[in-house]
Amino acid sequence: MKGQDWYQADEVAEEYDDVRFSGGGQLIDRREKEAVLAALGPIDSGHRVLEVACGTGRFTTMLADQGADVVGLDVSREMLEQAREKVAAAGHADAVEFLRGDASRLPFPDDHFDTVVAMRFFHLMDDPVPFAKELRRVSRDQVFFDTFNSRSLRTLYTWLLPMGSRLYSERQVAAMLGEAGLTLANEEHDFVLPYGFYRELPGPVARPFWVLDELAGDTIPGDYVASVSYWDARVPDEERP
């Protein structure tokens, strides 16, 4: 797994949200949360969600806000400390459980969760298939995740990133889903301009660029070079308990 030591550094965990999701980064945070909520649809009370690589808990808190029972799992003790503080501040300590663990060996029985969410996860995988199989094993219905794309501008700088970053083609994602026994229900593609561009800008300056980015993303060429994709995968009906 790429970047494990980097993500577990105290200073990275403490500054993670401020560095990535302030200023123009707020647009990224908002869009990612919209994508997750749209994929999960209306969340009934008691809907069981496993969030893999929950990090500082920004999706965990949002899902608990919607009424889900959430388990957040991460390999980083430092990230989990930030997540616990965030969830407690939002008043959801009783609805969320946090575990430190390895996503390749999840400590749950088969079909234990209604949905598994894995955002900002697969770009860290040297071999993603065993992880995809494990996420599918513990989900009775849905696995939602994102990937960074091999056709995007991210290819120009990904090798500079301290945590590393695996890029995927659509064919590679389709093959991974097939090996994991999942079917693709929906996909969306975003951010012709890469994340790093937005993070360098103040929010008011970044917003006009995002408007243009959305317009470009509504075209076939825009989808083709988008830097990130959201994948809504499902357990086939005949395999559901």
Side-chain angles (χ1 to χ4, degrees), residues 98-189:
F98 288 108
L99 295 174
R100 184 171 184 238
D102 181 352
S104 68
R105 295 185 295 273
L106 295 171
F108 308 106
D110 295 356
D111 309 313
H112 187 68
F113 296 94
D114 299 297
T115 298
V116 176
V117 174
M119 295 290 287
R120 302 291 185 95
F121 174 69
F122 278 102
H123 72 291
L124 299 174
M125 301 299 106
D126 292 317
D127 181 6
V129 172
F131 292 91
K133 289 180 176 178
E134 188 68 350
L135 302 192
R136 185 267 173 257
R137 181 185 67 78
V138 300
S139 175
R140 61 173 297 275
D141 182 22
Q142 180 181 34
V143 176
F144 183 78
F145 63 98
D146 65 342
T147 59
F148 294 126
N149 298 331
S150 58
R151 296 187 301 238
S152 69
L153 291 174
R154 195 177 177 93
T155 58
L156 301 177
Y157 67 90
T158 190
W159 59 276
L160 291 171
L161 300 176
M163 79 295 291
S165 187
R166 181 188 176 112
L167 307 182
Y168 293 79
S169 67
E170 290 190 41
R171 181 178 297 178
Q172 287 173 315
V173 172
M176 178 177 72
L177 293 178
E179 290 191 60
L182 290 163
T183 60
L184 184 61
N186 192 35
E187 63 185 271
E188 292 189 71
H189 311 281

Side-chain angles (χ1 to χ4, degrees), residues 1-13:
M1 185 183 297
K2 300 178 180 178
Q4 182 170 314
D5 292 339
W6 184 84
Y7 275 108
Q8 294 187 78
D10 287 338
E11 63 274 14
V12 170

Side-chain angles (χ1 to χ4, degrees), residues 28 43 74 83 93 114 124 132 142 180 194-196 204 216 240-241:
I28 301 167
I43 297 175
D74 204 284
D114 299 297
L124 299 174
Q142 180 181 34
Y195 286 167
R240 293 181 189 178

Side-chain angles (χ1 to χ4, degrees), residues 34-49:
E34 288 174 355
V36 172
L37 289 179
L40 270 63
I43 297 175
D44 296 329
S45 179
H47 188 92
R48 292 183 297 179
V49 179

Side-chain angles (χ1 to χ4, degrees), residues 55-91:
T56 60
R58 60 194 182 96
F59 296 110
T60 322
T61 306
M62 177 192 73
L63 292 168
D65 282 339
Q66 299 296 313
D69 290 338
V70 190
V71 175
L73 181 136
D74 204 284
V75 72
S76 168
R77 189 188 312 276
E78 292 74 15
M79 288 285 189
L80 288 173
E81 289 176 1
Q82 299 294 317
R84 288 190 181 95
E85 292 178 7
K86 188 174 296 182
V87 164

